[in-house]
Amino acid sequence: MIGSVATRKKNSPKFHAYYEDLCELHNVMPLRMITSQKQKDVLDICADRIKFDEFFPITKALACDRSLCFIAIRSRCQGKYVHHNFYGKRRSNVRHRPLIHTDFGMNVVINALKKCLMRTTVLTHLILEGLYFTKNNLSLLCTGLSNCSSIQNISFNQSIIGDDGCQLICDAVKKLRNVHSLNISACEIGQSGGYCISQLLKYQQLERYSETWKEALRYRIVDVDRMPGIRRVSINNNTHLGDAGLMYLVECLKDDLWLKAIDLQNCGITNQGAQEILKLLKVNTILTVVDIRNNHDVNGDLLNAIKKQLAENSSRNVEDKQEYKWMTLDASLEEQSHSAASKTHPYFMYSNQERSLHQKGVANGQAARSTSFWAQESCGSSYLPHQLNVELKQHVNHEAKIQELTEELNKMHLEIKKVKEERDRYKKELQEMKADYNNHILLNVDTVHAINEAFDKLTTYLKRGRNGESENT
């Protein structure tokens, strides 16, 4: 039974309740991936499988929402372009692409997100993964983002934004005091994007310094760790960043006392950039994670030296080490392979007949070729069978345990080195004490022998004198 207008108006600030009302109104079955999250105030959806009729209840309920604390919109089928010729109900133009990868679909989603961000006061996590943003869409989203004071974690992982989009995001985020982490991995960011990120960190750095100065004038104890602002930046898999973009970040972080972790896996860094990072870590002891793994042009000795310096910095900040963990290397490699494979995913490349052959398991040559290609290309974990998916998760957990054990082993090596240094120092002090003792001895060996000989002569003389007196008597 369709609810009244008053009921729908009452439920409009609550996403899940309003979504179910809208589904009843438009005669659409509610999606299970949305209704299963009803008790958690969470919206985490993969937009690739959402049909045209199912799209409007989601976006309309999202535009009026004030209850969600976690919003994630993901796409596994990444494309380098957006179909601009899709409007209204002309679905035949995008037969082999999801609705989220059309100009019409992105406009609807971005407008809904903008309204939600400008209204909500409880949203803390925003994840937009694998989407393609035009400049207009991203500027609309950043307008809403700059007015959301409650947001804490922002992720554009594997979304195509470029250097211009990175500038828009940094300009929107720099005045948000509650933002704790920013993830712009695999977003095709280059040297200009590195400059924009450095300007973001500099702006927040100046704001914190001014706040510290105000607190010091009032004779208060300034707690640096409790000050708001960005603590972690992830820029993994941006191969065009290079040493030139890295230098902007290094110069910015030399005087920074707040950023704790920066991830730079597979960013085109060479030995020159790694040496600059090593110099930075000797100056900035606040950083606990600087991840430059998976950069093939970096020498292994330099990488070990950076890890050693980070271990020394982490030993001073034990609480930060427990809070800011290293990302697993397998995760970044999986993202890289997934981004390469999902551009031509077979689900959207093949015709309906070939997909039906694959689903039915028909044992002919065409179906066999389709199945083999499917198995080779579907590198993302969401397309793997259940058993392989479980094995992949076990492998990732195993690698994480190995990494923890290697960190503990490095700790033990450092402790052993300290013990050896103390032992050498004690040996040196003992030798110095022996030398001082020998210098303070007044009689040498020859003198002692001479004294002993004189004493023996005296005793023999006295014995002879006693024997003579006894004979006379």
Side-chain angles (χ1 to χ4, degrees), residues 146 170-179 200 203-204 207:
S146 60
C170 291
D171 291 339
V173 169
K174 67 181 181 181
K175 294 183 180 180
L176 299 177
R177 295 170 57 85
N178 292 326
V179 175
L200 163 65
Y203 182 88
Q204 291 206 349
E207 290 290 324

Short mmCIF file of all heavy atoms in Angstrom, two decimals, residues 146 170-179 200 203-204 207:
data_model
loop_
_atom_site.label_atom_id
_atom_site.label_comp_id
_atom_site.label_asym_id
_atom_site.label_seq_id
_atom_site.Cartn_x
_atom_site.Cartn_y
_atom_site.Cartn_z
N SER A 146 32.47 21.53 -0.01
CA SER A 146 33.02 22.63 0.78
C SER A 146 32.05 23.12 1.86
O SER A 146 32.46 23.81 2.80
CB SER A 146 33.39 23.80 -0.14
OG SER A 146 32.24 24.25 -0.83
N CYS A 170 41.25 19.96 -3.94
CA CYS A 170 42.11 20.57 -2.91
C CYS A 170 41.57 21.91 -2.45
O CYS A 170 41.64 22.25 -1.26
CB CYS A 170 43.54 20.71 -3.44
SG CYS A 170 44.39 19.14 -3.68
N ASP A 171 41.04 22.70 -3.38
CA ASP A 171 40.45 23.99 -3.01
C ASP A 171 39.22 23.82 -2.13
O ASP A 171 38.95 24.65 -1.26
CB ASP A 171 40.10 24.79 -4.26
CG ASP A 171 41.32 25.25 -5.02
OD1 ASP A 171 42.41 25.31 -4.40
OD2 ASP A 171 41.21 25.52 -6.23
N ALA A 172 38.46 22.74 -2.37
CA ALA A 172 37.25 22.50 -1.57
C ALA A 172 37.58 21.94 -0.21
O ALA A 172 36.88 22.21 0.78
CB ALA A 172 36.31 21.55 -2.32
N VAL A 173 38.66 21.16 -0.11
CA VAL A 173 38.96 20.44 1.13
C VAL A 173 39.80 21.29 2.09
O VAL A 173 39.74 21.09 3.31
CB VAL A 173 39.69 19.11 0.80
CG1 VAL A 173 40.26 18.45 2.04
CG2 VAL A 173 38.73 18.16 0.10
N LYS A 174 40.55 22.26 1.57
CA LYS A 174 41.55 22.92 2.42
C LYS A 174 40.93 23.69 3.59
O LYS A 174 41.58 23.88 4.62
CB LYS A 174 42.41 23.86 1.58
CG LYS A 174 41.69 25.05 0.99
CD LYS A 174 42.67 25.89 0.16
CE LYS A 174 42.01 27.12 -0.42
NZ LYS A 174 42.96 27.90 -1.25
N LYS A 175 39.67 24.13 3.47
CA LYS A 175 39.03 24.86 4.57
C LYS A 175 38.18 23.97 5.47
O LYS A 175 37.56 24.46 6.41
CB LYS A 175 38.18 25.99 4.01
CG LYS A 175 39.00 27.06 3.31
CD LYS A 175 38.13 28.20 2.83
CE LYS A 175 38.95 29.28 2.14
NZ LYS A 175 38.13 30.41 1.67
N LEU A 176 38.14 22.67 5.18
CA LEU A 176 37.38 21.73 6.01
C LEU A 176 38.28 21.22 7.13
O LEU A 176 39.25 20.50 6.89
CB LEU A 176 36.86 20.56 5.17
CG LEU A 176 35.91 20.93 4.03
CD1 LEU A 176 35.53 19.70 3.23
CD2 LEU A 176 34.65 21.61 4.57
N ARG A 177 37.97 21.57 8.35
CA ARG A 177 38.84 21.26 9.47
C ARG A 177 38.75 19.81 9.92
O ARG A 177 39.68 19.29 10.53
CB ARG A 177 38.49 22.18 10.65
CG ARG A 177 38.76 23.64 10.38
CD ARG A 177 38.17 24.52 11.47
NE ARG A 177 38.67 24.18 12.78
CZ ARG A 177 39.80 24.63 13.30
NH1 ARG A 177 40.55 25.47 12.60
NH2 ARG A 177 40.19 24.29 14.51
N ASN A 178 37.64 19.15 9.66
CA ASN A 178 37.44 17.79 10.16
C ASN A 178 37.94 16.70 9.23
O ASN A 178 37.88 15.52 9.58
CB ASN A 178 35.97 17.55 10.47
CG ASN A 178 35.49 18.36 11.65
OD1 ASN A 178 36.24 18.61 12.59
ND2 ASN A 178 34.24 18.80 11.62
N VAL A 179 38.39 17.05 8.04
CA VAL A 179 38.86 16.03 7.10
C VAL A 179 40.15 15.41 7.64
O VAL A 179 41.12 16.11 7.92
CB VAL A 179 39.10 16.63 5.70
CG1 VAL A 179 39.71 15.59 4.77
CG2 VAL A 179 37.79 17.12 5.12
N LEU A 200 47.57 22.58 -0.61
CA LEU A 200 46.57 22.21 0.39
C LEU A 200 47.21 22.01 1.76
O LEU A 200 46.72 22.52 2.78
CB LEU A 200 45.85 20.94 -0.07
CG LEU A 200 45.05 20.16 0.99
CD1 LEU A 200 43.88 20.98 1.49
CD2 LEU A 200 44.56 18.83 0.41
N TYR A 203 48.42 25.34 3.25
CA TYR A 203 47.32 26.16 3.79
C TYR A 203 46.91 25.67 5.18
O TYR A 203 46.78 26.48 6.11
CB TYR A 203 46.14 26.10 2.82
CG TYR A 203 44.97 26.95 3.25
CD1 TYR A 203 44.90 28.29 2.88
CD2 TYR A 203 43.94 26.43 4.02
CE1 TYR A 203 43.83 29.08 3.27
CE2 TYR A 203 42.87 27.20 4.41
CZ TYR A 203 42.82 28.53 4.04
OH TYR A 203 41.77 29.31 4.44
N GLN A 204 46.73 24.37 5.32
CA GLN A 204 46.35 23.84 6.63
C GLN A 204 47.49 24.00 7.64
O GLN A 204 47.25 24.18 8.84
CB GLN A 204 45.96 22.38 6.50
CG GLN A 204 44.66 22.17 5.75
CD GLN A 204 43.95 20.90 6.13
OE1 GLN A 204 44.49 20.04 6.82
NE2 GLN A 204 42.71 20.77 5.69
N GLU A 207 47.25 27.52 8.97
CA GLU A 207 46.12 27.62 9.89
C GLU A 207 46.46 27.04 11.26
O GLU A 207 46.11 27.60 12.30
CB GLU A 207 44.91 26.89 9.29
CG GLU A 207 44.30 27.56 8.07
CD GLU A 207 43.60 28.85 8.44
OE1 GLU A 207 42.99 28.91 9.53
OE2 GLU A 207 43.66 29.81 7.64
#
